[in-house]
Amino acid sequence: MSEVGEDFLQDLEDDLESFNDDKNDEDDLGKLRSYIDHYQPAALSNYQQLNVQDVTSFPNFESNINALLSKPNDDDLTQTLATLNSLTYIAHNEILVLHNLLKLTYSTKFGELESLVPQPLQYANVVRIIETNEGNLETDAQLSKEQVLVLNMSMKSSFQACVKVDKVKILQLHELLMTVSKIRNELNSFILSKASLVAPNLCSLLGPEVTSLLLSHSGGVLELSQVPSCNLASIGKNKHLSHELHTNLSGVRQEGYIYRSSLVQEQPLESRKQMLRMVCAKVALAARVDAGHPRDDQLGRHWKNELSEKIQKLQEPPGISTTKPLPVPEDQPKRKRAGRKFKKYKQQFQLSQLRQLQNRMEFGKAEQSVIDDTGEELGLGMSKSLRVPVSQGNSAKMSKTMKRRMEQVNEQAKAFIFDGGEQHSERHIGNTDWFRHHMGNK
Protein backbone atom coordinates (compact mmCIF):
# COMPACT_ATOMS: atom_id res chain seq x y z
CA MET A 1 0.00 0.00 0.00
CA SER A 2 1.31 3.44 -0.85
CA GLU A 3 2.19 6.09 1.68
CA VAL A 4 -0.82 8.17 0.64
CA GLY A 5 -3.18 5.35 1.48
CA GLU A 6 -1.55 4.75 4.86
CA ASP A 7 -1.85 8.44 5.76
CA PHE A 8 -5.49 8.41 4.73
CA LEU A 9 -6.26 5.41 6.96
CA GLN A 10 -4.44 7.03 9.88
CA ASP A 11 -6.49 10.21 9.50
CA LEU A 12 -9.67 8.17 9.48
CA GLU A 13 -8.68 6.38 12.66
CA ASP A 14 -7.83 9.69 14.36
CA ASP A 15 -11.15 11.21 13.33
CA LEU A 16 -12.97 8.14 14.57
CA GLU A 17 -11.22 8.27 17.93
CA SER A 18 -11.96 11.98 18.34
CA PHE A 19 -15.59 11.34 17.38
CA ASN A 20 -15.84 8.57 19.94
CA ASP A 21 -14.24 10.83 22.60
CA ASP A 22 -16.70 13.62 21.87
CA LYS A 23 -19.55 11.14 21.98
CA ASN A 24 -18.31 9.77 25.29
CA ASP A 25 -18.00 13.29 26.68
CA GLU A 26 -21.53 14.06 25.63
CA ASP A 27 -22.69 10.80 27.18
CA ASP A 28 -20.91 11.60 30.46
CA LEU A 29 -22.33 15.11 30.57
CA GLY A 30 -25.80 13.83 29.63
CA LYS A 31 -25.75 11.17 32.34
CA LEU A 32 -24.68 13.68 34.95
CA ARG A 33 -27.36 16.18 33.90
CA SER A 34 -29.99 13.47 33.99
CA TYR A 35 -28.84 12.51 37.47
CA ILE A 36 -28.99 16.15 38.59
CA ASP A 37 -32.49 16.64 37.19
CA HIS A 38 -33.91 13.52 38.83
CA TYR A 39 -31.97 13.76 42.10
CA GLN A 40 -33.89 13.28 45.34
CA PRO A 41 -32.26 12.68 48.73
CA ALA A 42 -33.08 9.41 50.45
CA ALA A 43 -35.70 9.40 53.20
CA LEU A 44 -34.53 8.08 56.57
CA SER A 45 -37.92 7.46 58.14
CA ASN A 46 -37.38 3.67 58.09
CA TYR A 47 -33.62 3.70 58.51
CA GLN A 48 -33.41 0.35 60.33
CA GLN A 49 -34.60 -1.62 57.31
CA LEU A 50 -32.88 0.61 54.75
CA ASN A 51 -30.09 -0.89 52.65
CA VAL A 52 -26.86 1.10 52.60
CA GLN A 53 -26.45 0.85 48.83
CA ASP A 54 -29.92 2.36 48.33
CA VAL A 55 -29.08 5.47 50.36
CA THR A 56 -26.92 7.11 47.69
CA SER A 57 -26.00 6.44 44.07
CA PHE A 58 -23.51 9.29 43.82
CA PRO A 59 -20.36 7.07 43.89
CA ASN A 60 -21.65 5.25 40.79
CA PHE A 61 -20.94 8.38 38.71
CA GLU A 62 -17.32 8.72 39.83
CA SER A 63 -15.95 7.55 36.47
CA ASN A 64 -18.17 10.01 34.57
CA ILE A 65 -17.09 12.85 36.82
CA ASN A 66 -13.40 12.02 36.40
CA ALA A 67 -13.81 11.88 32.63
CA LEU A 68 -15.50 15.28 32.66
CA LEU A 69 -12.76 16.75 34.83
CA SER A 70 -10.00 15.43 32.58
CA LYS A 71 -11.59 16.90 29.44
CA PRO A 72 -9.53 19.80 28.00
CA ASN A 73 -10.88 23.33 28.07
CA ASP A 74 -13.42 24.16 25.41
CA ASP A 75 -15.96 26.83 24.63
CA ASP A 76 -18.59 25.14 26.79
CA LEU A 77 -16.71 25.78 30.05
CA THR A 78 -19.53 27.80 31.64
CA GLN A 79 -22.04 25.00 31.13
CA THR A 80 -19.58 22.39 32.42
CA LEU A 81 -18.85 24.43 35.57
CA ALA A 82 -22.57 24.86 36.21
CA THR A 83 -22.97 21.07 36.08
CA LEU A 84 -20.01 20.54 38.39
CA ASN A 85 -21.35 23.11 40.86
CA SER A 86 -24.64 21.25 40.98
CA LEU A 87 -22.77 17.99 41.57
CA THR A 88 -20.86 19.60 44.43
CA TYR A 89 -24.10 20.68 45.99
CA ILE A 90 -25.50 17.14 45.63
CA ALA A 91 -22.32 15.70 47.17
CA HIS A 92 -22.76 18.00 50.14
CA ASN A 93 -26.33 16.79 50.63
CA GLU A 94 -25.30 13.14 50.27
CA ILE A 95 -22.68 13.57 52.99
CA LEU A 96 -25.34 15.00 55.31
CA VAL A 97 -27.71 12.08 54.55
CA LEU A 98 -25.01 9.48 55.22
CA HIS A 99 -23.99 11.32 58.37
CA ASN A 100 -27.56 11.36 59.68
CA LEU A 101 -27.99 7.66 58.94
CA LEU A 102 -24.76 6.85 60.77
CA LYS A 103 -25.86 8.93 63.77
CA LEU A 104 -29.23 7.18 63.91
CA THR A 105 -27.56 3.79 63.72
CA TYR A 106 -24.93 4.48 66.37
CA SER A 107 -26.94 6.67 68.76
CA THR A 108 -28.21 3.67 70.72
CA LYS A 109 -24.67 2.83 71.73
CA PHE A 110 -23.04 6.25 72.09
CA GLY A 111 -25.62 9.04 71.82
CA GLU A 112 -23.39 11.78 73.23
CA LEU A 113 -20.83 11.42 70.42
CA GLU A 114 -22.99 13.56 68.12
CA SER A 115 -22.50 16.66 70.28
CA LEU A 116 -18.80 16.01 70.89
CA VAL A 117 -17.82 15.44 67.23
CA PRO A 118 -20.28 17.29 64.94
CA GLN A 119 -18.27 17.06 61.68
CA PRO A 120 -19.42 14.19 59.39
CA LEU A 121 -16.00 12.84 58.40
CA GLN A 122 -14.59 13.09 61.92
CA TYR A 123 -17.68 11.37 63.30
CA ALA A 124 -17.34 8.47 60.83
CA ASN A 125 -13.64 8.06 61.59
CA VAL A 126 -14.25 8.08 65.36
CA VAL A 127 -16.95 5.42 65.03
CA ARG A 128 -14.67 3.26 62.88
CA ILE A 129 -11.80 3.58 65.39
CA ILE A 130 -14.06 2.70 68.33
CA GLU A 131 -15.55 -0.35 66.62
CA THR A 132 -12.36 -1.73 65.04
CA ASN A 133 -9.82 -0.51 67.65
CA GLU A 134 -7.56 0.48 64.75
CA GLY A 135 -6.12 3.94 64.30
CA ASN A 136 -5.49 7.03 66.36
CA LEU A 137 -8.03 9.70 67.22
CA GLU A 138 -5.59 12.58 66.78
CA THR A 139 -4.06 11.50 63.45
CA ASP A 140 -6.83 9.53 61.71
CA ALA A 141 -9.86 11.46 63.00
CA GLN A 142 -7.94 14.78 63.22
CA LEU A 143 -9.22 15.60 66.69
CA SER A 144 -7.54 18.06 69.01
CA LYS A 145 -6.11 17.02 72.36
CA GLU A 146 -8.98 18.73 74.13
CA GLN A 147 -11.55 16.81 72.07
CA VAL A 148 -9.77 13.51 72.74
CA LEU A 149 -9.75 14.22 76.48
CA VAL A 150 -13.47 15.09 76.53
CA LEU A 151 -14.26 12.04 74.40
CA ASN A 152 -12.42 9.67 76.74
CA MET A 153 -14.21 11.11 79.77
CA SER A 154 -17.59 10.79 78.02
CA MET A 155 -16.97 7.16 77.04
CA LYS A 156 -16.52 6.23 80.70
CA SER A 157 -19.96 7.61 81.59
CA SER A 158 -22.31 7.37 78.57
CA PHE A 159 -20.77 4.70 76.31
CA GLN A 160 -22.83 1.49 76.41
CA ALA A 161 -20.56 -1.38 75.46
CA CYS A 162 -23.29 -3.98 75.99
CA VAL A 163 -25.42 -2.59 73.11
CA LYS A 164 -24.78 -4.34 69.80
CA VAL A 165 -24.86 -2.49 66.48
CA ASP A 166 -24.49 -3.62 62.86
CA LYS A 167 -20.74 -3.33 62.41
CA VAL A 168 -20.83 -4.15 58.69
CA LYS A 169 -23.38 -1.40 58.04
CA ILE A 170 -21.32 1.12 59.96
CA LEU A 171 -18.17 0.31 57.98
CA GLN A 172 -20.10 0.57 54.71
CA LEU A 173 -21.42 4.01 55.68
CA HIS A 174 -17.89 5.08 56.59
CA GLU A 175 -16.57 3.96 53.20
CA LEU A 176 -19.36 5.75 51.32
CA LEU A 177 -18.70 8.94 53.27
CA MET A 178 -15.02 8.84 52.39
CA THR A 179 -15.78 8.22 48.70
CA VAL A 180 -18.30 11.04 48.37
CA SER A 181 -15.99 13.39 50.27
CA LYS A 182 -13.09 12.57 47.94
CA ILE A 183 -15.22 13.28 44.85
CA ARG A 184 -16.39 16.56 46.35
CA ASN A 185 -12.78 17.64 47.01
CA GLU A 186 -11.86 16.90 43.39
CA LEU A 187 -14.81 18.95 42.17
CA ASN A 188 -13.81 21.84 44.45
CA SER A 189 -10.23 21.75 43.16
CA PHE A 190 -11.40 21.91 39.53
CA ILE A 191 -13.83 24.73 40.26
CA LEU A 192 -11.05 26.55 42.10
CA SER A 193 -8.87 26.51 39.02
CA LYS A 194 -11.71 27.82 36.83
CA ALA A 195 -13.44 30.17 39.29
CA SER A 196 -11.83 33.30 37.87
CA LEU A 197 -13.46 32.60 34.51
CA VAL A 198 -16.94 32.11 35.94
CA ALA A 199 -16.99 34.74 38.73
CA PRO A 200 -14.20 37.27 38.12
CA ASN A 201 -15.56 39.93 40.47
CA LEU A 202 -16.01 37.46 43.35
CA CYS A 203 -12.45 36.19 42.83
CA SER A 204 -11.07 39.73 42.93
CA LEU A 205 -13.03 40.45 46.10
CA LEU A 206 -12.59 37.22 48.09
CA GLY A 207 -9.99 35.16 46.26
CA PRO A 208 -10.47 31.99 44.21
CA GLU A 209 -10.50 29.62 47.22
CA VAL A 210 -13.41 31.24 49.04
CA THR A 211 -15.22 31.87 45.75
CA SER A 212 -15.05 28.19 44.78
CA LEU A 213 -16.37 27.17 48.19
CA LEU A 214 -19.30 29.57 47.91
CA LEU A 215 -20.11 28.42 44.38
CA SER A 216 -19.86 24.75 45.35
CA HIS A 217 -22.13 25.22 48.36
CA SER A 218 -24.80 27.20 46.52
CA GLY A 219 -24.61 25.32 43.20
CA GLY A 220 -23.54 28.13 40.87
CA VAL A 221 -23.26 31.87 40.41
CA LEU A 222 -26.95 32.31 39.66
CA GLU A 223 -27.97 30.44 42.81
CA LEU A 224 -25.46 32.43 44.89
CA SER A 225 -26.81 35.73 43.56
CA GLN A 226 -30.27 34.81 44.90
CA VAL A 227 -29.01 34.43 48.49
CA PRO A 228 -29.61 37.53 50.67
CA SER A 229 -26.53 39.24 52.06
CA CYS A 230 -27.62 38.53 55.66
CA ASN A 231 -27.42 34.77 54.97
CA LEU A 232 -24.03 34.75 53.23
CA ALA A 233 -22.03 34.88 56.46
CA SER A 234 -23.47 31.57 57.71
CA ILE A 235 -22.49 29.59 54.56
CA GLY A 236 -19.85 27.06 55.59
CA LYS A 237 -20.28 27.64 59.33
CA ASN A 238 -19.10 24.78 61.49
CA LYS A 239 -21.30 23.35 64.18
CA HIS A 240 -20.25 24.33 67.68
CA LEU A 241 -19.05 21.69 70.04
CA SER A 242 -20.85 21.13 73.31
CA HIS A 243 -17.83 22.20 75.36
CA GLU A 244 -16.97 25.30 73.34
CA LEU A 245 -18.23 28.86 73.48
CA HIS A 246 -20.53 30.02 70.68
CA THR A 247 -18.66 33.30 70.20
CA ASN A 248 -15.02 34.30 70.16
CA LEU A 249 -13.31 37.51 71.15
CA SER A 250 -14.51 39.23 67.98
CA GLY A 251 -18.18 38.57 68.85
CA VAL A 252 -18.86 36.80 65.50
CA ARG A 253 -21.14 33.77 65.48
CA GLN A 254 -21.33 33.13 61.70
CA GLU A 255 -17.76 31.98 61.08
CA GLY A 256 -18.35 30.73 57.54
CA TYR A 257 -16.30 30.85 54.36
CA ILE A 258 -16.40 34.64 54.09
CA TYR A 259 -15.21 35.07 57.67
CA ARG A 260 -12.15 32.89 56.86
CA SER A 261 -11.20 35.03 53.86
CA SER A 262 -8.07 37.15 54.02
CA LEU A 263 -10.10 40.35 53.68
CA VAL A 264 -11.67 39.72 57.11
CA GLN A 265 -8.85 37.85 58.85
CA GLU A 266 -6.36 40.66 58.22
CA GLN A 267 -8.39 43.01 60.41
CA PRO A 268 -8.06 43.23 64.22
CA LEU A 269 -10.55 41.34 66.36
CA GLU A 270 -12.62 44.37 67.28
CA SER A 271 -13.18 45.26 63.58
CA ARG A 272 -13.91 41.82 62.11
CA LYS A 273 -17.63 41.84 62.87
CA GLN A 274 -18.21 45.14 61.09
CA MET A 275 -15.91 44.14 58.23
CA LEU A 276 -17.83 40.87 57.79
CA ARG A 277 -21.10 42.75 57.32
CA MET A 278 -19.62 45.08 54.71
CA VAL A 279 -17.96 42.22 52.82
CA CYS A 280 -21.23 40.23 52.70
CA ALA A 281 -23.02 43.23 51.22
CA LYS A 282 -20.39 43.56 48.49
CA VAL A 283 -20.38 39.80 47.84
CA ALA A 284 -24.11 39.90 47.15
CA LEU A 285 -23.56 42.69 44.60
CA ALA A 286 -20.58 40.94 43.00
CA ALA A 287 -22.53 37.68 42.64
CA ARG A 288 -25.36 39.49 40.86
CA VAL A 289 -22.88 41.14 38.51
CA ASP A 290 -21.12 37.84 37.78
CA ALA A 291 -24.46 36.16 37.10
CA GLY A 292 -24.82 38.51 34.11
CA HIS A 293 -21.52 37.27 32.51
CA PRO A 294 -19.24 40.30 33.00
CA ARG A 295 -16.19 40.93 30.85
CA ASP A 296 -13.70 41.91 33.56
CA ASP A 297 -13.24 42.18 37.32
CA GLN A 298 -13.20 45.97 37.52
CA LEU A 299 -16.10 46.21 39.97
CA GLY A 300 -14.62 43.57 42.27
CA ARG A 301 -11.31 45.42 42.52
CA HIS A 302 -13.12 48.71 43.06
CA TRP A 303 -15.24 47.32 45.90
CA LYS A 304 -12.20 45.73 47.55
CA ASN A 305 -10.37 49.07 47.58
CA GLU A 306 -13.49 50.77 48.89
CA LEU A 307 -13.76 48.32 51.80
CA SER A 308 -10.08 48.78 52.63
CA GLU A 309 -10.49 52.55 52.78
CA LYS A 310 -13.62 52.33 54.93
CA ILE A 311 -12.12 50.01 57.51
CA GLN A 312 -8.96 52.11 57.61
CA LYS A 313 -10.98 55.22 58.43
CA LEU A 314 -12.86 53.34 61.15
CA GLN A 315 -9.61 52.22 62.75
CA GLU A 316 -8.04 55.67 62.80
CA PRO A 317 -7.83 57.26 66.26
CA PRO A 318 -10.08 60.26 66.86
CA GLY A 319 -8.56 63.64 66.12
CA ILE A 320 -7.12 65.63 69.01
CA SER A 321 -9.26 68.69 69.54
CA THR A 322 -7.25 71.82 70.38
CA THR A 323 -8.34 73.37 73.65
CA LYS A 324 -8.83 77.07 73.10
CA PRO A 325 -7.94 79.31 76.08
CA LEU A 326 -10.45 81.76 77.43
CA PRO A 327 -10.16 85.30 76.10
CA VAL A 328 -8.33 87.87 78.20
CA PRO A 329 -10.88 89.84 80.22
CA GLU A 330 -11.12 93.51 79.40
CA ASP A 331 -9.76 95.60 82.27
CA GLN A 332 -12.08 98.52 81.62
CA PRO A 333 -15.03 99.88 83.55
CA LYS A 334 -18.29 98.56 82.27
CA ARG A 335 -20.83 100.89 80.81
CA LYS A 336 -23.46 101.88 83.37
CA ARG A 337 -26.95 102.90 82.58
CA ALA A 338 -27.82 106.49 83.36
CA GLY A 339 -30.50 108.99 82.73
CA ARG A 340 -33.35 110.71 84.52
CA LYS A 341 -35.77 107.75 84.41
CA PHE A 342 -33.21 105.20 85.56
CA LYS A 343 -32.08 107.46 88.43
CA LYS A 344 -35.67 107.95 89.56
CA TYR A 345 -36.23 104.17 89.39
CA LYS A 346 -33.17 103.47 91.59
CA GLN A 347 -34.31 105.95 94.23
CA GLN A 348 -37.30 103.73 94.99
CA PHE A 349 -35.02 101.01 96.44
CA GLN A 350 -32.26 102.98 98.15
CA LEU A 351 -31.80 102.98 101.94
CA SER A 352 -32.96 105.90 103.99
CA GLN A 353 -30.53 107.92 106.09
CA LEU A 354 -31.94 106.37 109.27
CA ARG A 355 -31.29 102.83 108.01
CA GLN A 356 -27.79 103.82 106.95
CA LEU A 357 -27.04 105.14 110.46
CA GLN A 358 -28.55 102.02 112.01
CA ASN A 359 -26.14 99.85 109.99
CA ARG A 360 -23.12 101.74 111.33
CA MET A 361 -21.42 101.36 114.72
CA GLU A 362 -19.07 103.63 116.65
CA PHE A 363 -15.71 102.18 117.52
CA GLY A 364 -15.20 101.39 121.21
CA LYS A 365 -18.78 102.09 122.30
CA ALA A 366 -21.52 99.68 123.20
CA GLU A 367 -24.46 99.64 120.86
CA GLN A 368 -27.85 100.65 122.25
CA SER A 369 -30.82 98.48 121.50
CA VAL A 370 -34.60 98.70 121.86
CA ILE A 371 -37.43 96.15 121.94
CA ASP A 372 -39.90 96.45 119.09
CA ASP A 373 -43.63 95.67 119.23
CA THR A 374 -43.04 91.98 118.43
CA GLY A 375 -40.56 91.56 121.27
CA GLU A 376 -37.42 91.38 119.15
CA GLU A 377 -34.31 93.35 120.06
CA LEU A 378 -33.13 95.80 117.43
CA GLY A 379 -29.74 97.51 117.42
CA LEU A 380 -29.76 101.28 116.97
CA GLY A 381 -26.21 101.64 115.69
CA MET A 382 -25.32 105.32 115.33
CA SER A 383 -28.97 106.37 115.21
CA LYS A 384 -30.47 107.69 118.44
CA SER A 385 -33.96 106.28 117.81
CA LEU A 386 -35.97 104.46 115.18
CA ARG A 387 -38.39 107.31 114.63
CA VAL A 388 -38.23 108.57 111.10
CA PRO A 389 -38.01 112.35 110.78
CA VAL A 390 -40.45 113.89 108.42
CA SER A 391 -37.79 115.68 106.44
CA GLN A 392 -35.46 112.67 106.31
CA GLY A 393 -37.97 109.91 105.60
CA ASN A 394 -37.43 107.14 103.13
CA SER A 395 -37.95 108.29 99.59
CA ALA A 396 -39.20 104.87 98.49
CA LYS A 397 -42.24 105.14 96.33
CA MET A 398 -45.56 104.01 97.85
CA SER A 399 -48.55 103.11 95.76
CA LYS A 400 -51.90 104.81 96.19
CA THR A 401 -53.51 101.60 97.42
CA MET A 402 -50.87 101.22 100.12
CA LYS A 403 -51.35 104.83 101.19
CA ARG A 404 -55.11 104.27 101.46
CA ARG A 405 -54.56 101.16 103.60
CA MET A 406 -52.15 103.01 105.88
CA GLU A 407 -54.72 105.80 106.44
CA GLN A 408 -57.40 103.22 107.29
CA VAL A 409 -55.11 101.49 109.76
CA ASN A 410 -54.29 104.84 111.47
CA GLU A 411 -57.97 105.74 111.78
CA GLN A 412 -58.79 102.33 113.27
CA ALA A 413 -55.93 102.70 115.76
CA LYS A 414 -57.15 106.11 116.86
CA ALA A 415 -60.72 104.87 117.25
CA PHE A 416 -59.52 101.91 119.28
CA ILE A 417 -57.45 104.08 121.58
CA PHE A 418 -60.33 106.52 122.13
CA ASP A 419 -62.95 103.82 122.81
CA GLY A 420 -60.58 101.93 125.06
CA GLY A 421 -59.94 105.06 127.27
CA GLU A 422 -63.63 105.71 127.82
CA GLN A 423 -64.32 102.14 128.80
CA HIS A 424 -61.37 102.20 131.19
CA SER A 425 -62.63 105.37 132.96
CA GLU A 426 -66.15 103.93 133.31
CA ARG A 427 -64.76 100.70 134.72
CA HIS A 428 -62.65 102.69 137.22
CA ILE A 429 -65.68 104.72 138.45
CA GLY A 430 -67.74 101.59 138.86
CA ASN A 431 -65.13 99.93 141.04
CA THR A 432 -64.86 103.02 143.29
CA ASP A 433 -68.62 103.04 143.94
CA TRP A 434 -68.58 99.37 144.76
CA PHE A 435 -65.81 99.83 147.33
CA ARG A 436 -67.54 102.84 148.91
CA HIS A 437 -70.83 101.00 149.21
CA HIS A 438 -69.37 97.95 150.89
CA MET A 439 -66.84 99.75 153.07
CA GLY A 440 -69.43 102.32 154.28
CA ASN A 441 -71.87 99.65 155.33
CA LYS A 442 -69.20 98.13 157.50
Side-chain angles (χ1 to χ4, degrees):
M1 185 179 291
S2 63
E3 295 181 357
V4 178
E6 292 178 356
D7 295 339
F8 180 72
L9 292 176
Q10 185 66 30
D11 292 339
L12 286 177
E13 291 178 359
D14 295 339
D15 293 339
L16 183 61
E17 289 179 359
S18 62
F19 175 76
N20 291 332
D21 292 339
D22 294 340
K23 186 176 181 181
N24 292 332
D25 293 341
E26 292 179 358
D27 293 340
D28 294 333
L29 189 60
K31 290 179 180 179
L32 293 176
R33 288 178 181 173
S34 177
Y35 172 68
I36 293 171
D37 294 337
H38 299 87
Y39 168 74
Q40 287 184 356
L44 302 179
S45 57
N46 193 12
Y47 69 95
Q48 295 179 351
Q49 300 177 0
L50 187 63
N51 191 6
V52 177
Q53 302 300 329
D54 297 335
V55 176
T56 177
S57 59
F58 188 80
N60 299 332
F61 297 91
E62 183 177 4
S63 58
N64 303 106
I65 294 174
N66 292 333
L68 192 62
L69 294 179
S70 60
K71 186 178 66 173
N73 297 334
D74 52 4
D75 298 334
D76 201 14
L77 180 61
T78 304
Q79 190 175 4
T80 304
L81 287 177
T83 304
L84 295 179
N85 281 325
S86 302
L87 290 173
T88 308
Y89 182 75
I90 292 176
H92 179 73
N93 288 338
E94 292 298 306
I95 290 175
L96 295 180
V97 171
L98 293 171
H99 182 215
N100 292 331
L101 180 58
L102 184 59
K103 287 189 297 183
L104 292 173
T105 306
Y106 203 69
S107 60
T108 57
K109 190 171 185 178
F110 195 7
E112 195 176 354
L113 182 61
E114 177 184 353
S115 61
L116 298 177
V117 186
Q119 298 300 326
L121 300 181
Q122 291 181 346
Y123 185 89
N125 288 325
V126 170
V127 172
R128 181 189 62 82
I129 293 172
I130 292 175
E131 292 298 321
T132 60
N133 294 325
E134 297 178 358
N136 191 359
L137 292 175
E138 294 185 8
T139 56
D140 297 339
Q142 297 181 355
L143 298 181
S144 62
K145 294 182 179 180
E146 183 182 3
Q147 286 179 290
V148 174
L149 179 61
V150 175
L151 182 61
N152 292 331
M153 294 176 60
S154 179
M155 288 185 65
K156 295 179 181 180
S157 59
S158 61
F159 182 73
Q160 299 179 7
C162 59
V163 178
K164 295 183 179 181
V165 294
D166 192 352
K167 187 176 179 180
V168 177
K169 185 177 182 179
I170 289 174
L171 295 178
Q172 289 178 354
L173 289 173
H174 172 267
E175 185 179 357
L176 285 174
L177 266 172
M178 296 298 111
T179 304
V180 176
S181 177
K182 184 188 71 173
I183 298 174
R184 186 184 64 172
N185 294 334
E186 293 176 356
L187 291 172
N188 289 336
S189 300
F190 184 82
I191 295 172
L192 174 61
S193 61
K194 307 297 181 182
S196 59
L197 301 175
V198 179
N201 292 290
L202 282 174
C203 289
S204 299
L205 185 62
L206 298 175
E209 293 84 3
V210 180
T211 302
S212 62
L213 292 174
L214 290 175
L215 294 178
S216 301
H217 186 276
S218 59
V221 185
L222 183 60
E223 290 77 6
L224 183 62
S225 64
Q226 297 173 357
V227 180
S229 61
C230 57
N231 296 340
L232 290 173
S234 59
I235 295 179
K237 181 183 67 172
N238 296 329
K239 292 185 178 180
H240 296 287
L241 302 178
S242 59
H243 62 280
E244 290 182 347
L245 296 176
H246 288 190
T247 56
N248 54 12
L249 296 177
S250 62
V252 179
R253 296 175 62 93
Q254 293 83 9
E255 296 181 0
Y257 296 139
I258 300 178
Y259 179 78
R260 303 189 196 106
S261 62
S262 59
L263 197 60
V264 179
Q265 292 297 321
E266 291 176 356
Q267 311 304 326
L269 289 175
E270 60 272 7
S271 303
R272 288 182 183 178
K273 187 174 183 180
Q274 190 169 6
M275 187 64 176
L276 179 62
R277 293 177 180 174
M278 295 190 295
V279 171
C280 289
K282 298 301 181 183
V283 167
L285 295 177
R288 294 167 189 172
V289 173
D290 290 336
H293 306 289
R295 298 180 179 179
D296 52 12
D297 58 346
Q298 183 179 1
L299 288 175
R301 289 185 280 107
H302 172 70
W303 286 330
K304 187 175 182 179
N305 296 332
E306 182 181 347
L307 290 175
S308 301
E309 293 177 359
K310 283 185 178 180
I311 200 66
Q312 186 176 3
K313 289 182 180 180
L314 292 175
Q315 294 175 3
E316 290 179 356
I320 302 175
S321 59
T322 57
T323 305
K324 296 182 179 180
L326 295 174
V328 180
E330 298 179 359
D331 193 10
Q332 297 179 359
K334 296 182 180 180
R335 298 179 58 185
K336 296 182 180 180
R337 296 189 60 181
R340 178 171 55 84
K341 292 183 179 181
F342 187 72
K343 186 176 181 180
K344 187 176 181 181
Y345 174 76
K346 286 181 65 177
Q347 288 178 356
Q348 299 179 10
F349 309 102
Q350 66 182 3
L351 293 176
S352 62
Q353 185 179 3
L354 179 63
R355 293 300 180 188
Q356 292 177 3
L357 293 174
Q358 185 182 3
N359 294 335
R360 298 175 185 175
M361 292 181 61
E362 295 186 23
F363 181 76
K365 291 185 179 181
E367 182 184 17
Q368 298 180 2
S369 60
V370 295
I371 305 299
D372 61 353
D373 298 337
T374 61
E376 295 182 1
E377 184 178 3
L378 299 176
L380 296 179
M382 296 183 65
S383 62
K384 302 303 180 182
S385 64
L386 294 179
R387 294 182 180 180
V388 181
V390 177
S391 60
Q392 298 178 357
N394 192 354
S395 60
K397 185 176 181 181
M398 186 180 296
S399 61
K400 295 181 180 180
T401 306
M402 184 59 67
K403 289 181 180 180
R404 192 182 309 111
R405 291 181 180 178
M406 292 297 293
E407 292 176 358
Q408 293 177 359
V409 170
N410 292 333
E411 291 178 357
Q412 292 177 0
K414 291 178 181 180
F416 176 77
I417 293 172
F418 181 74
D419 295 340
E422 290 182 353
Q423 293 178 2
H424 177 72
S425 60
E426 291 178 357
R427 191 180 302 110
H428 178 69
I429 295 173
N431 292 335
T432 304
D433 294 340
W434 184 85
F435 276 105
R436 285 179 181 178
H437 173 73
H438 290 282
M439 293 299 292
N441 293 335
K442 290 182 178 180

